[in-house]
PDB file of all heavy atoms in Angstrom:
ATOM      1  N   HIS A  15     -66.643 -63.943 216.007  1.00 98.00           N
ATOM      2  CA  HIS A  15     -66.655 -63.808 217.467  1.00 98.00           C
ATOM      3  C   HIS A  15     -67.792 -62.877 217.876  1.00 98.00           C
ATOM      4  O   HIS A  15     -68.317 -62.114 217.061  1.00 98.00           O
ATOM      5  CB  HIS A  15     -65.325 -63.244 217.967  1.00 98.00           C
ATOM      6  CG  HIS A  15     -64.153 -64.130 217.766  1.00 98.00           C
ATOM      7  ND1 HIS A  15     -64.045 -65.369 218.343  1.00 98.00           N
ATOM      8  CD2 HIS A  15     -63.020 -63.957 217.036  1.00 98.00           C
ATOM      9  CE1 HIS A  15     -62.898 -65.927 218.004  1.00 98.00           C
ATOM     10  NE2 HIS A  15     -62.254 -65.095 217.201  1.00 98.00           N
ATOM     11  N   SER A  16     -68.117 -62.919 219.155  1.00 98.00           N
ATOM     12  CA  SER A  16     -69.128 -62.018 219.715  1.00 98.00           C
ATOM     13  C   SER A  16     -70.396 -62.018 218.884  1.00 98.00           C
ATOM     14  O   SER A  16     -70.952 -60.965 218.549  1.00 98.00           O
ATOM     15  CB  SER A  16     -68.565 -60.590 219.815  1.00 98.00           C
ATOM     16  OG  SER A  16     -67.382 -60.572 220.593  1.00 98.00           O
ATOM     17  N   LEU A  17     -70.862 -63.207 218.553  1.00 98.00           N
ATOM     18  CA  LEU A  17     -72.035 -63.319 217.693  1.00 98.00           C
ATOM     19  C   LEU A  17     -73.269 -62.746 218.357  1.00 98.00           C
ATOM     20  O   LEU A  17     -73.470 -62.874 219.576  1.00 98.00           O
ATOM     21  CB  LEU A  17     -72.242 -64.772 217.296  1.00 98.00           C
ATOM     22  CG  LEU A  17     -71.279 -65.249 216.200  1.00 98.00           C
ATOM     23  CD1 LEU A  17     -71.189 -66.768 216.169  1.00 98.00           C
ATOM     24  CD2 LEU A  17     -71.713 -64.715 214.856  1.00 98.00           C
ATOM     25  N   LYS A  18     -74.092 -62.143 217.533  1.00 98.00           N
ATOM     26  CA  LYS A  18     -75.323 -61.508 217.985  1.00 98.00           C
ATOM     27  C   LYS A  18     -76.507 -62.177 217.288  1.00 98.00           C
ATOM     28  O   LYS A  18     -76.351 -62.733 216.197  1.00 98.00           O
ATOM     29  CB  LYS A  18     -75.300 -60.019 217.626  1.00 98.00           C
ATOM     30  CG  LYS A  18     -74.093 -59.266 218.136  1.00 98.00           C
ATOM     31  CD  LYS A  18     -74.103 -57.840 217.615  1.00 98.00           C
ATOM     32  CE  LYS A  18     -72.878 -57.073 218.091  1.00 98.00           C
ATOM     33  NZ  LYS A  18     -72.870 -55.682 217.585  1.00 98.00           N
ATOM     34  N   PRO A  19     -77.682 -62.080 217.869  1.00 97.00           N
ATOM     35  CA  PRO A  19     -78.867 -62.655 217.189  1.00 97.00           C
ATOM     36  C   PRO A  19     -79.052 -62.117 215.770  1.00 97.00           C
ATOM     37  O   PRO A  19     -79.510 -62.859 214.889  1.00 97.00           O
ATOM     38  CB  PRO A  19     -80.012 -62.241 218.117  1.00 97.00           C
ATOM     39  CG  PRO A  19     -79.379 -62.148 219.461  1.00 97.00           C
ATOM     40  CD  PRO A  19     -78.001 -61.599 219.213  1.00 97.00           C
ATOM     41  N   GLU A  20     -78.669 -60.889 215.545  1.00 97.00           N
ATOM     42  CA  GLU A  20     -78.823 -60.322 214.199  1.00 97.00           C
ATOM     43  C   GLU A  20     -77.817 -60.872 213.194  1.00 97.00           C
ATOM     44  O   GLU A  20     -77.913 -60.583 211.996  1.00 97.00           O
ATOM     45  CB  GLU A  20     -78.753 -58.787 214.246  1.00 97.00           C
ATOM     46  CG  GLU A  20     -77.555 -58.230 214.975  1.00 97.00           C
ATOM     47  CD  GLU A  20     -77.864 -57.883 216.423  1.00 97.00           C
ATOM     48  OE1 GLU A  20     -78.566 -58.674 217.115  1.00 97.00           O
ATOM     49  OE2 GLU A  20     -77.384 -56.823 216.880  1.00 97.00           O
ATOM     50  N   ASP A  21     -76.845 -61.647 213.656  1.00 98.00           N
ATOM     51  CA  ASP A  21     -75.930 -62.320 212.745  1.00 98.00           C
ATOM     52  C   ASP A  21     -76.527 -63.612 212.183  1.00 98.00           C
ATOM     53  O   ASP A  21     -75.942 -64.220 211.285  1.00 98.00           O
ATOM     54  CB  ASP A  21     -74.611 -62.665 213.454  1.00 98.00           C
ATOM     55  CG  ASP A  21     -73.817 -61.441 213.842  1.00 98.00           C
ATOM     56  OD1 ASP A  21     -73.745 -60.497 213.042  1.00 98.00           O
ATOM     57  OD2 ASP A  21     -73.268 -61.435 214.963  1.00 98.00           O
ATOM     58  N   GLU A  22     -77.639 -64.008 212.715  1.00 98.00           N
ATOM     59  CA  GLU A  22     -78.267 -65.253 212.264  1.00 98.00           C
ATOM     60  C   GLU A  22     -78.687 -65.146 210.808  1.00 98.00           C
ATOM     61  O   GLU A  22     -79.377 -64.210 210.408  1.00 98.00           O
ATOM     62  CB  GLU A  22     -79.475 -65.572 213.143  1.00 98.00           C
ATOM     63  CG  GLU A  22     -80.158 -66.879 212.805  1.00 98.00           C
ATOM     64  CD  GLU A  22     -81.161 -67.286 213.875  1.00 98.00           C
ATOM     65  OE1 GLU A  22     -80.797 -67.321 215.061  1.00 98.00           O
ATOM     66  OE2 GLU A  22     -82.318 -67.571 213.517  1.00 98.00           O
ATOM     67  N   ALA A  23     -78.236 -66.110 210.016  1.00 98.00           N
ATOM     68  CA  ALA A  23     -78.495 -66.092 208.576  1.00 98.00           C
ATOM     69  C   ALA A  23     -77.887 -67.346 207.960  1.00 98.00           C
ATOM     70  O   ALA A  23     -77.178 -68.110 208.627  1.00 98.00           O
ATOM     71  CB  ALA A  23     -77.860 -64.857 207.934  1.00 98.00           C
ATOM     72  N   VAL A  24     -78.179 -67.524 206.692  1.00 98.00           N
ATOM     73  CA  VAL A  24     -77.438 -68.493 205.895  1.00 98.00           C
ATOM     74  C   VAL A  24     -76.221 -67.766 205.330  1.00 98.00           C
ATOM     75  O   VAL A  24     -76.365 -66.697 204.731  1.00 98.00           O
ATOM     76  CB  VAL A  24     -78.291 -69.074 204.758  1.00 98.00           C
ATOM     77  CG1 VAL A  24     -77.463 -70.037 203.907  1.00 98.00           C
ATOM     78  CG2 VAL A  24     -79.514 -69.787 205.320  1.00 98.00           C
ATOM     79  N   TYR A  25     -75.062 -68.349 205.544  1.00 98.00           N
ATOM     80  CA  TYR A  25     -73.814 -67.734 205.097  1.00 98.00           C
ATOM     81  C   TYR A  25     -73.319 -68.450 203.838  1.00 98.00           C
ATOM     82  O   TYR A  25     -73.254 -69.686 203.798  1.00 98.00           O
ATOM     83  CB  TYR A  25     -72.762 -67.815 206.201  1.00 98.00           C
ATOM     84  CG  TYR A  25     -72.974 -66.784 207.277  1.00 98.00           C
ATOM     85  CD1 TYR A  25     -74.044 -66.894 208.166  1.00 98.00           C
ATOM     86  CD2 TYR A  25     -72.135 -65.682 207.396  1.00 98.00           C
ATOM     87  CE1 TYR A  25     -74.262 -65.933 209.142  1.00 98.00           C
ATOM     88  CE2 TYR A  25     -72.336 -64.723 208.375  1.00 98.00           C
ATOM     89  CZ  TYR A  25     -73.405 -64.854 209.234  1.00 98.00           C
ATOM     90  OH  TYR A  25     -73.622 -63.898 210.205  1.00 98.00           O
ATOM     91  N   TYR A  26     -72.965 -67.643 202.853  1.00 98.00           N
ATOM     92  CA  TYR A  26     -72.502 -68.158 201.565  1.00 98.00           C
ATOM     93  C   TYR A  26     -71.086 -67.680 201.290  1.00 98.00           C
ATOM     94  O   TYR A  26     -70.768 -66.515 201.547  1.00 98.00           O
ATOM     95  CB  TYR A  26     -73.395 -67.645 200.440  1.00 98.00           C
ATOM     96  CG  TYR A  26     -74.834 -68.056 200.524  1.00 98.00           C
ATOM     97  CD1 TYR A  26     -75.767 -67.282 201.206  1.00 98.00           C
ATOM     98  CD2 TYR A  26     -75.281 -69.236 199.911  1.00 98.00           C
ATOM     99  CE1 TYR A  26     -77.101 -67.648 201.287  1.00 98.00           C
ATOM    100  CE2 TYR A  26     -76.615 -69.609 199.978  1.00 98.00           C
ATOM    101  CZ  TYR A  26     -77.507 -68.816 200.670  1.00 98.00           C
ATOM    102  OH  TYR A  26     -78.825 -69.197 200.738  1.00 98.00           O
ATOM    103  N   CYS A  27     -70.280 -68.562 200.747  1.00 98.00           N
ATOM    104  CA  CYS A  27     -69.005 -68.085 200.231  1.00 98.00           C
ATOM    105  C   CYS A  27     -69.105 -67.975 198.718  1.00 98.00           C
ATOM    106  O   CYS A  27     -69.955 -68.616 198.085  1.00 98.00           O
ATOM    107  CB  CYS A  27     -67.840 -68.965 200.648  1.00 98.00           C
ATOM    108  SG  CYS A  27     -67.701 -70.542 199.806  1.00 98.00           S
ATOM    109  N   ALA A  28     -68.259 -67.151 198.156  1.00 98.00           N
ATOM    110  CA  ALA A  28     -68.307 -66.882 196.732  1.00 98.00           C
ATOM    111  C   ALA A  28     -66.911 -66.617 196.208  1.00 98.00           C
ATOM    112  O   ALA A  28     -66.044 -66.143 196.946  1.00 98.00           O
ATOM    113  CB  ALA A  28     -69.214 -65.683 196.456  1.00 98.00           C
ATOM    114  N   ALA A  29     -66.725 -66.914 194.932  1.00 96.00           N
ATOM    115  CA  ALA A  29     -65.445 -66.701 194.262  1.00 96.00           C
ATOM    116  C   ALA A  29     -65.662 -65.791 193.064  1.00 96.00           C
ATOM    117  O   ALA A  29     -66.578 -66.010 192.266  1.00 96.00           O
ATOM    118  CB  ALA A  29     -64.858 -68.036 193.806  1.00 96.00           C
ATOM    119  N   GLY A  30     -64.814 -64.788 192.968  1.00 94.00           N
ATOM    120  CA  GLY A  30     -64.933 -63.843 191.872  1.00 94.00           C
ATOM    121  C   GLY A  30     -63.594 -63.607 191.208  1.00 94.00           C
ATOM    122  O   GLY A  30     -62.601 -63.372 191.902  1.00 94.00           O
ATOM    123  N   GLY A  31     -63.588 -63.680 189.895  1.00 89.00           N
ATOM    124  CA  GLY A  31     -62.356 -63.406 189.173  1.00 89.00           C
ATOM    125  C   GLY A  31     -61.904 -61.974 189.400  1.00 89.00           C
ATOM    126  O   GLY A  31     -62.726 -61.069 189.531  1.00 89.00           O
ATOM    127  N   SER A  32     -60.610 -61.777 189.493  1.00 87.00           N
ATOM    128  CA  SER A  32     -60.096 -60.426 189.695  1.00 87.00           C
ATOM    129  C   SER A  32     -58.880 -60.201 188.809  1.00 87.00           C
ATOM    130  O   SER A  32     -58.096 -61.111 188.584  1.00 87.00           O
ATOM    131  CB  SER A  32     -59.738 -60.204 191.166  1.00 87.00           C
ATOM    132  OG  SER A  32     -58.784 -61.143 191.611  1.00 87.00           O
ATOM    133  N   GLU A  33     -58.784 -58.981 188.322  1.00 87.00           N
ATOM    134  CA  GLU A  33     -57.710 -58.662 187.390  1.00 87.00           C
ATOM    135  C   GLU A  33     -56.371 -58.497 188.093  1.00 87.00           C
ATOM    136  O   GLU A  33     -55.318 -58.789 187.512  1.00 87.00           O
ATOM    137  CB  GLU A  33     -58.053 -57.391 186.620  1.00 87.00           C
ATOM    138  CG  GLU A  33     -59.242 -57.562 185.694  1.00 87.00           C
ATOM    139  CD  GLU A  33     -59.470 -56.329 184.841  1.00 87.00           C
ATOM    140  OE1 GLU A  33     -58.734 -55.348 185.010  1.00 87.00           O
ATOM    141  OE2 GLU A  33     -60.393 -56.362 183.999  1.00 87.00           O
ATOM    142  N   THR A  34     -56.420 -58.026 189.307  1.00 90.00           N
ATOM    143  CA  THR A  34     -55.169 -57.859 190.039  1.00 90.00           C
ATOM    144  C   THR A  34     -55.216 -58.662 191.324  1.00 90.00           C
ATOM    145  O   THR A  34     -56.276 -59.007 191.829  1.00 90.00           O
ATOM    146  CB  THR A  34     -54.903 -56.382 190.381  1.00 90.00           C
ATOM    147  OG1 THR A  34     -55.765 -55.993 191.447  1.00 90.00           O
ATOM    148  CG2 THR A  34     -55.137 -55.491 189.180  1.00 90.00           C
ATOM    149  N   ALA A  35     -54.057 -58.927 191.863  1.00 89.00           N
ATOM    150  CA  ALA A  35     -53.958 -59.774 193.049  1.00 89.00           C
ATOM    151  C   ALA A  35     -54.550 -59.121 194.289  1.00 89.00           C
ATOM    152  O   ALA A  35     -54.859 -59.813 195.255  1.00 89.00           O
ATOM    153  CB  ALA A  35     -52.500 -60.143 193.308  1.00 89.00           C
ATOM    154  N   ARG A  36     -54.731 -57.801 194.254  1.00 91.00           N
ATOM    155  CA  ARG A  36     -55.158 -57.104 195.454  1.00 91.00           C
ATOM    156  C   ARG A  36     -56.589 -56.570 195.358  1.00 91.00           C
ATOM    157  O   ARG A  36     -57.032 -55.820 196.205  1.00 91.00           O
ATOM    158  CB  ARG A  36     -54.174 -55.992 195.789  1.00 91.00           C
ATOM    159  CG  ARG A  36     -52.744 -56.508 195.909  1.00 91.00           C
ATOM    160  CD  ARG A  36     -51.778 -55.483 196.466  1.00 91.00           C
ATOM    161  NE  ARG A  36     -51.819 -55.437 197.910  1.00 91.00           N
ATOM    162  CZ  ARG A  36     -52.123 -54.350 198.605  1.00 91.00           C
ATOM    163  NH1 ARG A  36     -52.425 -53.230 197.985  1.00 91.00           N
ATOM    164  NH2 ARG A  36     -52.127 -54.389 199.932  1.00 91.00           N
ATOM    165  N   ASP A  37     -57.315 -56.963 194.321  1.00 92.00           N
ATOM    166  CA  ASP A  37     -58.718 -56.569 194.204  1.00 92.00           C
ATOM    167  C   ASP A  37     -59.557 -57.275 195.261  1.00 92.00           C
ATOM    168  O   ASP A  37     -59.313 -58.445 195.580  1.00 92.00           O
ATOM    169  CB  ASP A  37     -59.276 -56.970 192.841  1.00 92.00           C
ATOM    170  CG  ASP A  37     -58.843 -56.019 191.744  1.00 92.00           C
ATOM    171  OD1 ASP A  37     -58.345 -54.928 192.070  1.00 92.00           O
ATOM    172  OD2 ASP A  37     -59.029 -56.376 190.571  1.00 92.00           O
ATOM    173  N   VAL A  38     -60.544 -56.570 195.782  1.00 95.00           N
ATOM    174  CA  VAL A  38     -61.586 -57.193 196.586  1.00 95.00           C
ATOM    175  C   VAL A  38     -62.933 -56.757 196.016  1.00 95.00           C
ATOM    176  O   VAL A  38     -63.084 -55.635 195.563  1.00 95.00           O
ATOM    177  CB  VAL A  38     -61.498 -56.832 198.089  1.00 95.00           C
ATOM    178  CG1 VAL A  38     -60.318 -57.517 198.736  1.00 95.00           C
ATOM    179  CG2 VAL A  38     -61.437 -55.338 198.293  1.00 95.00           C
ATOM    180  N   HIS A  39     -63.884 -57.651 196.052  1.00 95.00           N
ATOM    181  CA  HIS A  39     -65.210 -57.386 195.499  1.00 95.00           C
ATOM    182  C   HIS A  39     -66.222 -57.283 196.628  1.00 95.00           C
ATOM    183  O   HIS A  39     -66.195 -58.080 197.570  1.00 95.00           O
ATOM    184  CB  HIS A  39     -65.627 -58.511 194.558  1.00 95.00           C
ATOM    185  CG  HIS A  39     -64.686 -58.732 193.422  1.00 95.00           C
ATOM    186  ND1 HIS A  39     -64.038 -57.710 192.781  1.00 95.00           N
ATOM    187  CD2 HIS A  39     -64.302 -59.877 192.806  1.00 95.00           C
ATOM    188  CE1 HIS A  39     -63.280 -58.216 191.825  1.00 95.00           C
ATOM    189  NE2 HIS A  39     -63.415 -59.512 191.819  1.00 95.00           N
ATOM    190  N   LEU A  40     -67.137 -56.340 196.478  1.00 95.00           N
ATOM    191  CA  LEU A  40     -68.132 -56.116 197.516  1.00 95.00           C
ATOM    192  C   LEU A  40     -69.552 -56.453 197.077  1.00 95.00           C
ATOM    193  O   LEU A  40     -70.437 -56.605 197.916  1.00 95.00           O
ATOM    194  CB  LEU A  40     -68.098 -54.656 197.963  1.00 95.00           C
ATOM    195  CG  LEU A  40     -66.724 -54.085 198.349  1.00 95.00           C
ATOM    196  CD1 LEU A  40     -66.891 -52.670 198.891  1.00 95.00           C
ATOM    197  CD2 LEU A  40     -66.013 -54.969 199.342  1.00 95.00           C
ATOM    198  N   ARG A  41     -69.775 -56.569 195.804  1.00 96.00           N
ATOM    199  CA  ARG A  41     -71.127 -56.766 195.278  1.00 96.00           C
ATOM    200  C   ARG A  41     -71.332 -58.205 194.816  1.00 96.00           C
ATOM    201  O   ARG A  41     -70.416 -58.828 194.268  1.00 96.00           O
ATOM    202  CB  ARG A  41     -71.383 -55.796 194.121  1.00 96.00           C
ATOM    203  CG  ARG A  41     -71.385 -54.328 194.534  1.00 96.00           C
ATOM    204  CD  ARG A  41     -71.765 -53.447 193.351  1.00 96.00           C
ATOM    205  NE  ARG A  41     -70.737 -53.463 192.325  1.00 96.00           N
ATOM    206  CZ  ARG A  41     -69.743 -52.600 192.278  1.00 96.00           C
ATOM    207  NH1 ARG A  41     -69.619 -51.660 193.215  1.00 96.00           N
ATOM    208  NH2 ARG A  41     -68.867 -52.657 191.308  1.00 96.00           N
ATOM    209  N   THR A  42     -72.543 -58.681 194.976  1.00 96.00           N
ATOM    210  CA  THR A  42     -72.844 -60.052 194.555  1.00 96.00           C
ATOM    211  C   THR A  42     -72.587 -60.241 193.070  1.00 96.00           C
ATOM    212  O   THR A  42     -72.174 -61.318 192.635  1.00 96.00           O
ATOM    213  CB  THR A  42     -74.305 -60.406 194.869  1.00 96.00           C
ATOM    214  OG1 THR A  42     -75.175 -59.488 194.209  1.00 96.00           O
ATOM    215  CG2 THR A  42     -74.590 -60.371 196.358  1.00 96.00           C
ATOM    216  N   THR A  43     -72.823 -59.208 192.287  1.00 95.00           N
ATOM    217  CA  THR A  43     -72.666 -59.317 190.836  1.00 95.00           C
ATOM    218  C   THR A  43     -71.217 -59.482 190.396  1.00 95.00           C
ATOM    219  O   THR A  43     -70.955 -59.832 189.245  1.00 95.00           O
ATOM    220  CB  THR A  43     -73.267 -58.094 190.134  1.00 95.00           C
ATOM    221  OG1 THR A  43     -72.686 -56.918 190.713  1.00 95.00           O
ATOM    222  CG2 THR A  43     -74.774 -58.051 190.287  1.00 95.00           C
ATOM    223  N   GLU A  44     -70.294 -59.244 191.299  1.00 95.00           N
ATOM    224  CA  GLU A  44     -68.876 -59.380 190.966  1.00 95.00           C
ATOM    225  C   GLU A  44     -68.358 -60.789 191.210  1.00 95.00           C
ATOM    226  O   GLU A  44     -67.190 -61.071 190.953  1.00 95.00           O
ATOM    227  CB  GLU A  44     -68.056 -58.381 191.794  1.00 95.00           C
ATOM    228  CG  GLU A  44     -68.361 -56.931 191.449  1.00 95.00           C
ATOM    229  CD  GLU A  44     -67.585 -55.961 192.312  1.00 95.00           C
ATOM    230  OE1 GLU A  44     -67.843 -55.928 193.545  1.00 95.00           O
ATOM    231  OE2 GLU A  44     -66.722 -55.250 191.780  1.00 95.00           O
TER     232      GLU A  44
END
């Protein structure tokens, strides 16, 4: 919502294995 010109980009989704159900990953390498 409330998109701004600086939001313009190619958006990618990614899947990362996680050891626990509540892990979240922030880095591309994960």
Side-chain angles (χ1 to χ4, degrees):
H15 294 298
S16 303
L17 283 161
K18 305 175 181 180
E20 51 264 42
D21 293 319
E22 183 168 308
V24 177
Y25 282 71
Y26 299 90
C27 74
S32 58
E33 293 186 358
T34 75
R36 305 190 83 239
D37 282 346
V38 288
H39 302 323
L40 309 185
R41 295 185 292 269
T42 58
T43 54
E44 295 178 294

